[in-house]
Amino acid sequence: MPIRVADLPPWAAGLVALLAGAGATLAFAPVGWFLAAPLALAAWFALLPGVTPGRAAGIGYAFGLGFFGVGVTWIFNSLLVFGQAPLVVASLITVLFVLAMAVYPALLAALAARFLPLGRPAGMLALAGGLVLMELARSWLFSGFPWLLFGHTVLDTPLQPWLPLAGELGAGLVVALLAVAVVSVFRAGQRGAGAGLVGVLVLASLVPGLARWVEPGGEALSVAMVQGNIDQARKWDADGIEYSLGIYQELTREAGDVDLVVWPETAIPAFYVEVQRPLGQLAQSLAEHDAELLVGVFDHASAGRHVYNSVINVTTGAGYNKRQLVPFGEYIPLRGQLDWLDRLLAIPMSDLSPGTGDGRMRVAGQTAGVSICYESAYSRHIRAALPEAGFLVNVSNDAWFGDSLAPAQHLQIARVRAVETGRPMIRATNTGISALIDADGRILERSGSFTREVVTGTLQPRQGVTPATATGAGPAVLAALVLVVAGAAVGRRRGARGAD
């Protein structure tokens, strides 16, 4: 008689879940093996039918430990190397973060085991919907952490058209449904349903691929992304401002005849007023060739003590202040209670204020949607500039991540934003990976990592609105709720019949 998955000893089930979680990260950049996502989810889902809610929580927690323990290891690097935290503190914060993130799949698994008939197709479909709701919660609660969402893995696959149609959560639902199909194929009596679900998903994916949601709009722009590759610690030396300014000025002069020059986030570690004169002189020389200069720099309010992480259009004086700040990097949550932690981390400018606005800025005669670094992970912030924005600009300082998985993951997220919105993106970073991304997610031009270079190219602004831009996450969340409610209803009816 074959061994049922539910009959596995707890340690074996936990080990399988842990390995599945770790393996799921292979679907994300820099590896990008898409099949790892549905296969890993299928391995996790298959462990849940027939187990108690408590044991299901343990299985979900093991999956989360593997997933986040591998996928966000760059947090340790950021704290130890660039935050200059003691080894014990960097390790403790990273471990606590992974332990906290693993609660999400643990809670999903426990609730599914308690309320859903996971032995039946309706229950497994509801579990797929629950995964979407879990990712929604992870993207919002406690300022959110929308990193490593399963919808990101559909880039460069036949499922990519789901991104402009239903957004990252809708694409994630499709990945979860594929996982359900895999589980069903290996279950007696459900193989036909599993194969049928695969067929439906494949056919359904062909339809949005035929749609053209956006079209060219406005004049094509030639752009230059300046990547200074200045070590994070070097920027804050006594002569760091002059050093950084000199490198970026020299590289800008090498950019040639372009419409727009973009420097990365905090390219110059100074307040704008401190470097306004040399930047203004450079912008004036560029204006003689009808070019504009965008610079990442710190700014502050004329009244009060508010300091902002900003992007300034030096040519026109327009500015944008970052809205979504990074906890423990740009501000300390609950500062009154965690003041001791602030003293252990040597992160410059870690008491910033959030900006306001929608990110729209006039750039080179057109409207752009501007964002800074981590904000690219928040689709709601990027959508706010649309439909007026014809292209996107994201400046980032990925030097904080060092030589880790994060720069490639961050570029993948930027590509998702381009596909979702149907807008090309200019992405300028300090140490890489800088890139010019087309509206379909293709990388037109890109830099190396830890190289000093200027990346040039031409982008075509777009007009029009994708369904994902128009509706946001609403339809995907609604679909997920329908699956969950329907599955729970089947479970209640089954329970009522059992009671009779």
Side-chain angles (χ1 to χ4, degrees):
M1 181 177 179
I3 299 176
R4 297 186 307 159
V5 174
D7 293 332
L8 290 175
W11 69 265
L15 179 60
V16 171
L18 182 74
L19 294 175
T25 62
L26 296 174
F28 297 86
V31 178
W33 185 42
F34 167 72
L35 288 178
L39 291 177
L41 287 174
W44 173 32
F45 290 174
L47 294 169
L48 299 179
V51 302
T52 65
R55 184 173 172 186
I59 292 171
Y61 203 73
F63 180 88
L65 290 178
F67 186 63
F68 294 105
V70 173
V72 298
T73 51
W74 48 266
I75 291 177
F76 174 78
N77 183 80
S78 300
L79 292 169
L80 181 68
V81 178
F82 302 110
Q84 299 180 33
L87 177 62
V88 174
V89 174
S91 302
L92 179 62
I93 294 176
T94 303
V95 169
L96 290 177
F97 183 80
V98 171
L99 293 176
M101 288 296 103
V103 170
Y104 286 104
L107 184 60
L108 170 63
L111 291 174
R114 172 65 179 83
F115 296 105
L116 299 178
L118 295 179
R120 305 181 65 181
M124 294 302 290
L125 292 174
L127 180 58
L131 183 78
V132 172
L133 300 181
M134 178 196 75
E135 292 196 328
L136 175 68
R138 180 158 67 85
S139 300
W140 279 88
L141 295 178
F142 312 112
S143 86
F145 186 66
W147 201 278
L148 296 181
L149 300 184
F150 281 100
H152 298 172
T153 65
V154 304
L155 275 175
D156 304 319
T157 76
L159 301 180
Q160 179 171 306
W162 286 101
L163 286 172
L165 178 64
E168 60 191 1
L169 292 182
L173 178 59
V174 175
V175 175
L177 290 174
L178 278 177
V180 170
V182 171
V183 175
S184 299
V185 165
F186 286 95
R187 276 184 174 176
Q190 297 183 13
R191 293 187 177 91
L197 180 57
V198 172
V200 168
L201 292 175
V202 170
L203 291 176
S205 300
L206 297 177
V207 177
L210 300 175
R212 294 293 177 264
W213 311 111
V214 299
E215 59 184 10
E219 297 285 337
L221 297 177
S222 56
V223 302
M225 293 148 282
V226 183
Q227 182 171 299
N229 192 34
I230 300 174
D231 184 83
Q232 190 67 14
R234 181 67 180 88
K235 289 173 63 174
W236 298 101
D237 286 344
D239 64 340
I241 296 176
E242 293 78 10
Y243 178 77
S244 300
L245 190 58
I247 287 176
Y248 277 97
Q249 286 175 324
E250 179 181 354
L251 290 173
T252 299
R253 295 187 184 100
E254 298 175 3
D257 187 11
V258 296
D259 298 313
L260 178 64
V261 177
V262 184
W263 293 6
E265 177 190 17
T266 60
I268 308 302
F271 289 113
Y272 181 55
V273 294
E274 297 179 86
V275 291
Q276 188 170 3
R277 177 174 294 181
L279 289 179
Q281 292 172 347
L282 179 60
Q284 185 176 3
S285 66
L286 290 172
E288 295 175 358
H289 302 280
D290 298 321
E292 293 187 6
L293 176 63
L294 282 185
V295 174
V297 69
F298 292 108
D299 201 4
H300 64 83
S302 56
R305 300 178 56 189
H306 297 292
V307 177
Y308 302 104
N309 187 350
S310 305
V311 173
I312 305 293
N313 186 329
V314 183
T315 307
T316 66
Y320 164 74
N321 299 325
K322 188 178 183 182
R323 291 163 285 175
Q324 188 75 42
L325 301 180
V326 180
F328 303 105
E330 294 174 312
Y331 77 100
I332 302 296
L334 304 173
R335 180 172 287 276
Q337 290 73 34
L338 298 177
D339 187 58
W340 60 272
L341 180 59
D342 191 22
R343 293 192 295 269
L344 291 174
L345 299 175
I347 301 178
M349 295 292 188
S350 59
D351 194 12
L352 302 179
S353 298
T356 57
D358 52 25
R360 287 197 290 264
M361 181 189 294
R362 292 296 291 178
V363 177
Q366 304 190 48
T367 301
V370 179
S371 61
I372 300 177
C373 194
Y374 186 54
E375 288 182 316
S376 65
Y378 292 81
S379 60
R380 61 183 181 271
H381 289 322
I382 307 302
R383 290 197 310 269
L386 301 174
E388 291 81 359
F391 62 98
L392 307 175
V393 177
N394 178 258
V395 299
S396 186
N397 181 18
D398 288 0
W400 286 104
F401 301 138
D403 187 12
S404 67
L405 298 174
Q409 293 173 352
H410 208 182
L411 176 60
Q412 183 181 45
I413 291 171
R415 294 178 62 202
V416 168
R417 296 288 87 84
V419 176
E420 271 186 342
T421 60
R423 295 296 191 272
M425 176 184 284
I426 302 167
R427 185 168 190 270
T429 71
N430 184 15
T431 58
I433 306 168
S434 301
L436 184 61
I437 306 168
D438 205 358
D440 59 4
R442 287 182 300 121
I443 297 178
L444 301 176
E445 306 289 345
R446 60 166 288 170
S447 72
S449 295
F450 303 104
T451 57
R452 182 169 295 170
E453 59 182 298
V454 179
V455 180
T456 59
T458 302
L459 67 82
Q460 173 60 63
R462 297 293 198 277
Q463 61 184 7
V465 179
T466 65
T469 297
T471 62
V477 173
L478 179 60
L481 284 171
V482 169
L483 290 175
V484 170
V485 171
V490 170
R492 285 197 299 270
R493 288 198 299 270
R494 187 181 181 186
R497 287 196 299 269
D500 294 339

